[in-house]
Amino acid sequence: IITAMDISICFADFPTAPIGETTRAYRQLGIGYANLGALLMATGHGYDSDGGRAFVAAVTSLMTGTSYRRSAELAGIVGPYAGYARNAEPHQRVMRKHAAANDDVRTFPASADIHRLATVAWREALAIGTVNGWRNAQASVLAPTGTIGFMMDCDTTGIEPDFSLVKFKKLVGGGSMQIVNQTIPRALKKLGYVEEQVEAIVAY
């Protein structure tokens, strides 16, 4: 995804010339979340829980570390972003801070394997980036993904929890439809409910 996003900068149109110039010089990307709330539901984590926060911290670190590792690999192939030379020391310092923050992530059994992979990703990102630099001044962002999330059939968008387990949608041709969060059955099974209970809850 990072490779595709970086390539897309070369073909993108921008609202103003200065924005286009800055984007081509620094190649900022914005990989982020959609459906995170549903992931927490599916894994049986409360959105506002220590286990949930640890799980999301590990996923975030893995996603970001992997993205910057790929950015460093791309820099070795096609060169770092144009503004890298004068920002090399601060950029490397930020990467080291990210890696150090990963080391401080609290882990639980459900997030331990993900955190181990994140630690490897950051170690590799630093090693490769120290030699190659990075192709992108920024790789990740926590952005709202409302439209994209609905197109992807997500139950939740961005990083937020679901605003309602049941939604009512007005249809263009008139009428409305009721939509139940599709993650609910999976979450209930994860929490130990039997099939008959799950069906009854979803029907209700």
Side-chain angles (χ1 to χ4, degrees):
I1 291 170
I2 289 295
T3 303
M5 290 173 73
D6 185 70
I7 291 170
S8 73
I9 291 173
C10 303
F11 301 99
D13 291 322
F14 299 97
T16 66
I19 290 174
E21 290 167 12
T22 300
T23 303
R24 282 185 284 272
Y26 291 91
R27 310 190 72 80
Q28 309 96 317
L29 303 181
I31 194 170
Y33 286 124
N35 224 22
L36 184 66
L39 174 64
L40 287 172
M41 290 174 66
T43 55
H45 288 93
Y47 190 87
D48 185 22
S49 67
D50 289 341
R53 281 187 287 273
F55 189 84
V56 171
V59 169
T60 303
S61 188
L62 175 59
M63 177 177 68
T64 309
T66 301
S67 297
Y68 278 114
R69 181 184 65 201
R70 184 60 185 150
S71 180
E73 291 168 349
L74 289 173
I77 299 166
V78 291
Y81 60 91
Y84 179 73
R86 63 192 178 94
N87 289 288
E89 197 282 322
H91 192 140
Q92 290 187 28
R93 187 170 66 246
V94 169
M95 294 298 100
R96 290 192 300 270
K97 286 184 177 182
H98 276 308
N102 171 75
D103 294 341
D104 291 338
V105 169
R106 183 179 176 194
T107 58
F108 288 78
S111 59
D113 287 343
I114 300 169
H115 184 257
R116 274 193 288 276
L117 292 170
T119 301
V120 171
W122 278 112
R123 186 167 60 241
E124 292 173 350
L126 290 176
I128 298 167
T130 300
V131 175
N132 296 346
W134 281 270
R135 179 70 172 159
N136 313 94
Q138 173 185 311
S140 62
V141 67
L142 295 183
T145 57
T147 304
I148 295 170
F150 287 125
M151 291 173 66
M152 294 168 61
D153 200 26
C154 294
D155 286 316
T156 64
T157 60
I159 63 165
E160 67 272 18
D162 201 0
F163 69 87
S164 176
L165 298 180
V166 180
K167 302 171 192 74
F168 297 90
K169 182 171 176 58
K170 290 185 179 178
L171 303 176
V172 175
S176 65
M177 64 184 290
Q178 180 178 333
I179 305 168
V180 177
N181 182 313
Q182 296 301 301
T183 309
I184 290 175
R186 187 173 169 190
L188 292 172
K189 288 174 188 171
K190 179 72 177 178
L191 294 172
Y193 288 83
V194 297
E195 191 64 37
E196 295 77 11
Q197 292 173 312
V198 172
E199 290 176 4
I201 291 169
V202 172
Y204 176 80

